[in-house]
Amino acid sequence: MIKEDVVEAPASWSAAESAMWHAFRRGEQLDLRAWDDRRIGASSIAQLLIAGPEPEPGHSNHLRLCGAVITGSLNLSAAQVEAPIRFSSCLFEEEVVLDGARLANVHMTECQLLGLSAISAQFDQWLGFPDSHFAGEVQLFNSRISGTVEFDGCYIGGALTLGRAVVEGGLHLRRGCEVNGKLRLNGIQVQGALLACGLVVNGQIDAIGARIGDALSFVDVTVRHPRDWALIFTDVQASRVTLHLNSASTGAVTLRDAHFGRLIDDIVNWPPACLVDLGGFTYDRLSERTGVGLPPTVEERLLWLRTYGVLNGDLQPSVGRHFAPGPYEQLAGALRQEGREQESRAVLREMERLRHRAWGRLGAWWGTVQDVMVGFGYLPGRALLWLSVLLFSAMAYFQVSGPLARVKPGEGPTWDPFLYSLDVVVPFISLGHDTVWDPTGWDKVISVLLMVAGWVLVTTIIAGIGRTLKR
């Protein structure tokens, strides 16, 4: 808000501050790097921005400082500033406070700051700190930015808090941006893309409930939070997600109840110290990163699930102690969506193997029978093959050992080893031959074995068909 129409700076201001006054009125940059005294009081900057002069005719107000040393705390709490603010290569001796302020835009390039607090602030255009150095924390909790927020190349000595912020543009954390504390993204809304490429976080990344309108790209991100949750993506929603953690990352990752439209992962190079909680995690499509070698095979994906999958927040591998079918069903569905039906069935077979093993020895045995016989219903051709082998083996045996003695001499149909075998092997079918002939000795033993095998095979086939129909 402009309150004065004066052409000269206050008499008490230093030469650098007076030069800032005139440069502000013309919208020009003031470069102090060659000045002997580069100090500018933070109170003078606040006065200039809040109650400064009208611009010179044909110009617009714009604060542009280069190489300044800002003494005191720049406090613009609850202020409304219409002029753009740009600092480059400036040193701030105390914290910058913008809580509750409304500003057009703020851009700080290669600056050194103790910290920044902009809680519940509003930026009508954009906010950027490329290649700047913060000794302490950066607070943007509950703030609203109409444009893009940029932390490319930044070093932040404390936590970076963007919880419940609304970013109408994108959020950039690229070019080796390093956060030496917690990165809080919980509840953030980003209408554009969240790009974290080369990001390093020496602490936890908390993005619970984040909503990303466009892409969420975590490429070559290093997060270090050993023996605890390092990356929390619980209930995150994004249209497209690239998830590639640097191999030096430590700590567990949770994607519980998150939903991604398209997932682009890199499991072959997954960091060995990062287990993953996939409970309730869903995605519509699955893709591989280009330019990183051959895409992973379905066997590699299954190995990744067995090695890194955890359950219910337990930071230990779940296989062998618990089993959750959800991640396997999700993977199979995504492969089927891409037309990779054979790979989808391989995933579902592995899921059934693990499910049956979790039921104990009897369940594991029954699972082995179903797998060998019919592939848990996902290999229908195998079921027909086994049934044919069993039936024709029985026919061959009774062709040699028959005919059997009749139950009632002179009654019943003519001896037919094929029809007799069909009656014995296939339950629920009765052609009248098994009740006419009376096997004894080894013939009886073979008949009983064939009957048991037939029951096992047919019930397995029925179970597999039911599973396929449900799918």
Side-chain angles (χ1 to χ4, degrees):
M1 182 182 296
I2 305 301
K3 295 185 178 180
E4 301 183 67
D5 186 11
V6 294
V7 296
E8 297 296 333
S12 60
W13 282 22
S14 68
E17 292 169 341
S18 296
M20 174 184 67
W21 173 283
H22 294 289
F24 175 76
R25 295 190 66 209
R26 294 189 295 270
E28 298 175 349
Q29 176 177 279
L30 174 61
D31 190 343
L32 298 173
R33 286 176 293 182
W35 287 46
D36 292 333
D37 187 358
R38 300 186 292 125
R39 293 175 298 172
I40 290 182
S43 59
S44 298
I45 296 176
Q47 181 181 345
L48 183 69
L49 293 172
I50 298 172
E54 293 281 359
E56 290 187 6
H59 298 271
S60 60
N61 287 336
H62 192 159
L63 178 61
R64 301 173 65 191
L65 289 178
C66 179
V69 176
I70 313 301
T71 61
S73 175
L74 178 56
N75 192 329
L76 297 175
S77 296
Q80 294 193 33
V81 178
E82 297 179 359
I85 301 171
R86 179 181 290 269
F87 296 98
S88 59
S89 302
C90 291
L91 170 64
F92 291 80
E93 293 186 342
E94 296 186 27
E95 184 181 33
V96 176
V97 181
L98 307 176
D99 297 342
R102 180 168 185 174
L103 303 101
N105 62 64
V106 175
H107 203 261
M108 298 184 177
T109 304
E110 297 181 352
C111 291
Q112 297 186 46
L113 304 94
L114 289 183
L116 171 71
S117 180
I119 298 173
S120 300
Q122 182 170 335
F123 301 87
D124 293 336
Q125 296 179 25
W126 38 260
L127 179 66
F129 307 95
D131 300 309
S132 290
H133 186 286
F134 293 86
E137 295 188 359
V138 175
Q139 288 269 1
L140 288 166
F141 177 78
N142 200 39
S143 290
R144 187 179 192 95
I145 302 93
S146 298
T148 295
V149 181
E150 183 179 349
F151 286 96
D152 291 352
C154 270
Y155 173 84
I156 301 172
L160 172 56
T161 300
L162 287 152
R164 293 178 56 186
V166 177
V167 181
E168 297 181 12
L171 172 60
H172 298 168
L173 300 158
R174 303 172 300 183
R175 290 197 291 105
C177 175
E178 182 173 356
V179 180
N180 197 27
K182 191 171 185 178
L183 175 57
R184 299 184 178 95
L185 302 171
N186 50 301
I188 193 173
Q189 298 181 45
V190 181
Q191 296 182 18
L194 195 166
L195 304 179
C197 305
L199 171 67
V200 177
V201 179
N202 296 307
Q204 185 182 76
I205 300 177
D206 178 4
I208 296 175
R211 298 291 182 267
I212 314 299
D214 194 359
L216 192 165
S217 183
F218 266 50
V219 177
D220 196 26
V221 170
T222 303
V223 54
R224 298 185 180 98
H225 202 227
R227 298 179 296 280
D228 203 345
W229 295 106
L231 178 59
I232 304 177
F233 270 10
T234 303
D235 193 32
V236 170
Q237 294 184 19
S239 61
R240 183 174 74 255
V241 176
T242 301
L243 189 57
H244 173 211
L245 296 184
N246 186 280
S247 60
S249 296
T250 59
V253 175
T254 177
L255 302 174
R256 178 165 292 272
D257 297 326
H259 177 75
F260 303 156
R262 180 184 177 192
L263 174 62
I264 304 169
D265 61 6
D266 186 15
I267 63 166
V268 175
N269 301 302
W270 189 260
C274 294
L275 298 177
V276 188
D277 181 5
L278 298 169
F281 172 49
T282 57
Y283 47 93
D284 298 330
R285 296 182 59 192
L286 180 65
S287 303
E288 289 83 25
R289 289 185 64 209
T290 59
V292 291
L294 296 175
T297 64
V298 68
E299 290 78 14
E300 288 173 323
R301 288 196 173 279
L302 291 173
L303 177 61
W304 184 86
L305 281 174
R306 291 193 299 269
T307 304
Y308 297 104
V310 300
L311 182 66
N312 293 330
D314 188 355
L315 298 182
Q316 296 293 330
S318 60
V319 173
R321 303 178 302 111
H322 307 286
F323 175 69
Y328 293 86
E329 293 173 339
Q330 177 61 59
L331 175 58
L335 292 172
R336 190 182 308 115
Q337 182 72 18
E338 297 293 326
R340 299 158 66 178
E341 184 65 32
Q342 186 174 356
E343 292 174 301
S344 175
R345 291 180 180 179
V347 172
L348 292 173
R349 287 182 63 197
E350 178 67 10
M351 178 187 73
E352 292 299 335
R353 292 188 192 104
L354 297 174
R355 188 204 302 272
H356 283 79
R357 290 172 190 171
W359 293 345
R361 292 184 178 179
L362 183 59
W365 173 82
W366 180 238
T368 300
V369 171
Q370 292 193 70
D371 193 13
V372 172
M373 291 294 185
V374 294
F376 296 104
Y378 301 113
L379 298 175
R382 182 179 292 183
L384 181 60
L385 175 63
W386 277 107
L387 186 62
S388 300
V389 169
L390 186 64
L391 180 59
F392 284 99
S393 297
M395 184 185 70
Y397 173 82
F398 289 116
Q399 180 72 40
V400 174
S401 65
L404 304 180
R406 293 179 181 271
V407 175
K408 295 181 179 180
E411 296 184 7
T414 303
W415 168 251
D416 189 318
F418 174 75
L419 295 179
Y420 179 77
S421 300
L422 190 63
D423 262 353
V424 172
V425 170
V426 184
F428 315 120
I429 293 179
S430 179
L431 303 177
H433 285 256
D434 58 335
T435 58
V436 171
W437 306 100
D438 184 22
T440 59
W442 278 107
D443 292 337
K444 187 170 187 177
V445 173
I446 296 299
S447 296
V448 171
L449 291 176
L450 288 171
M451 188 179 301
V452 172
W455 270 99
V456 171
L457 179 59
V458 171
T459 53
T460 301
I461 293 172
I462 293 173
I465 292 174
R467 187 178 299 112
T468 302
L469 292 175
K470 180 185 290 187
R471 178 165 56 90

